[in-house]
Amino acid sequence: MKLSTVILSLGCIVSSVQAAPTAGPELFKLKVVSSSKELDGHYLASNASTLGIYGSEDVSPIRVYQTSSAKKGCSELHTYPIGIVDHALGLVGSNGLMTLTDMVNPLGAKPADGQDMEWDSFRISDSKLTNDGEGYGTWVVFPTTKSSWTVKWTDGKS
């Protein structure tokens, strides 16, 4: 009799549970549109912290998700997978020419002396990624090796 009372008591404590998938962030890749056939159609990838176009099959395209920024009309682009340490796309440079990078903990990051840093000022409109800047600026690429290119933002003023 005691045993059935204990089992009955456990039955009242244990309840049925199920796990269900929930929606996560909407992920996308950044595809290059260029008049150069060599660059057109490639996806941006990361090699260490530098984002660019890499001819190697070993480098996978980055996946990002968009979050709102404190700057009106702007967005932040964070990399996926999401880990313990936050990663976001950012621009680092000086004199109006900034390199597109993968920034670690951008909220607490400090640029080196003489450098500017932006990570919360991207705009996505008509499937195009730009940086907030009063209508100025454009993306440019520079070759680094035979089949690799770094991506930079120029403000068009310098």
Side-chain angles (χ1 to χ4, degrees), residues 45-54 99-102 144 149-151:
S46 178
N47 187 2
S49 66
T50 302
L51 297 176
I53 302 164
Y54 298 96
T99 303
L100 185 63
T101 62
D102 175 0
T144 57
W149 301 76
T150 59
V151 178

Side-chain angles (χ1 to χ4, degrees), residues 38-39 50 52-54 140-152:
E38 184 179 0
L39 302 173
T50 302
I53 302 164
Y54 298 96
V140 293
V141 294
F142 293 94
T144 57
T145 63
K146 184 177 180 182
S147 61
S148 298
W149 301 76
T150 59
V151 178
K152 298 181 184 276

Side-chain angles (χ1 to χ4, degrees), residues 7 9 51 76 94 102 107 121 127 129 141 149 151 154:
I7 292 174
S9 298
L51 297 176
E76 300 170 11
S94 62
D102 175 0
L107 191 57
S121 58
S127 298
L129 177 66
V141 294
W149 301 76
V151 178
T154 177

Side-chain angles (χ1 to χ4, degrees), residues 29-30 42-46 57 59-64 80:
K29 298 175 188 174
L30 299 171
H42 284 275
Y43 290 93
L44 292 186
S46 178
E57 297 285 330
V59 183
S60 299
I62 58 164
R63 296 182 298 163
V64 297
Y80 187 87

Side-chain angles (χ1 to χ4, degrees), residues 127-140:
S127 298
K128 294 179 183 166
L129 177 66
T130 60
N131 186 42
D132 190 35
E134 303 170 16
Y136 299 107
T138 189
W139 294 107
V140 293

Side-chain angles (χ1 to χ4, degrees), residues 95-117:
N95 299 321
L97 186 63
M98 303 178 83
T99 303
L100 185 63
T101 62
D102 175 0
M103 297 181 73
V104 177
N105 286 329
L107 191 57
K110 304 285 184 226
D113 288 341
Q115 298 283 302
D116 294 317
M117 178 181 81

